[in-house]
Amino acid sequence: RYWRDWSSDVCSSDLPAVESAAELADARAVLAEEIASAAFLARGAPAWFATSAGRAVAVKLAPKSAIAKGAKGDVAGRLARMRQPSSVVDGTASAADTAALGGAFVAATSGGGARYRALAARLDEGVPFDEAFGAVFKASAPKLFEAWLGKEGKPRAGGAGR
């Protein structure tokens, strides 16, 4: 009885239908981003990493989504405008900057998802995030982010830019 009541509420014809491949890709991206972000937050990851991982997963799982299509150009533009890109890993960047730059950073350093799983496993064991990140990525988040910035064309993570 419970399933029947629940399924009729959820499967109501009043819900909007996804009508195109583009809408489906966008829906998948949004869901992937939120689920991945929530999974890392629930494990004790800081918000900057959870947001970044969510964006990286969304881009990987829904490459034809609007999020994925805008991701590459968004990184270059944001890097050019930011005074302190390191604010992403210290948690003081805007949500949009964190998603764009952090997502690109996590995607570039994640090793095809193996490092996500390893980090999640360490966090599940109760290892603090900084220690777990260092063990999995073989560097601290700020140092790895600075190295990534160097590859992306921004020489220093600190006051680089203007």
Side-chain angles (χ1 to χ4, degrees):
R1 170 122 175 95
Y2 173 76
W3 168 253
R4 193 168 135 211
D5 293 341
W6 178 82
S7 65
S8 65
D9 289 343
V10 171
C11 299
S12 167
S13 60
D14 294 335
L15 294 175
V18 175
E19 297 184 11
S20 70
E23 287 177 342
L24 181 58
D26 290 346
R28 283 183 177 155
V30 169
L31 289 171
E33 186 169 28
E34 294 301 322
I35 291 168
S37 181
F40 277 105
L41 281 174
R43 288 177 162 92
W48 77 263
F49 184 84
T51 299
S52 300
R55 179 58 55 95
V57 168
V59 169
K60 175 85 172 163
L61 294 180
K64 294 184 179 183
S65 68
I67 287 172
K69 288 177 182 177
K72 185 88 171 158
D74 202 24
V75 170
R78 285 179 190 280
L79 279 175
R81 288 188 303 272
M82 285 186 79
R83 282 183 91 56
Q84 282 194 303
S86 62
S87 64
V88 170
V89 294
D90 68 24
T92 59
S94 71
D97 286 341
T98 299
L101 296 178
F105 161 67
V106 171
T109 59
S110 69
R115 289 187 176 148
Y116 293 130
R117 290 186 296 279
L119 181 60
R122 297 264 179 150
L123 293 172
D124 287 345
E125 293 167 1
V127 177
F129 176 80
D130 290 337
E131 183 181 329
F133 188 95
V136 170
F137 290 88
K138 308 297 184 220
S140 69
K143 289 214 181 286
L144 191 59
F145 189 77
E146 189 166 337
W148 173 78
L149 282 174
K151 290 179 183 175
E152 289 295 311
K154 198 84 159 177
R156 296 180 15 246
R162 301 175 197 215

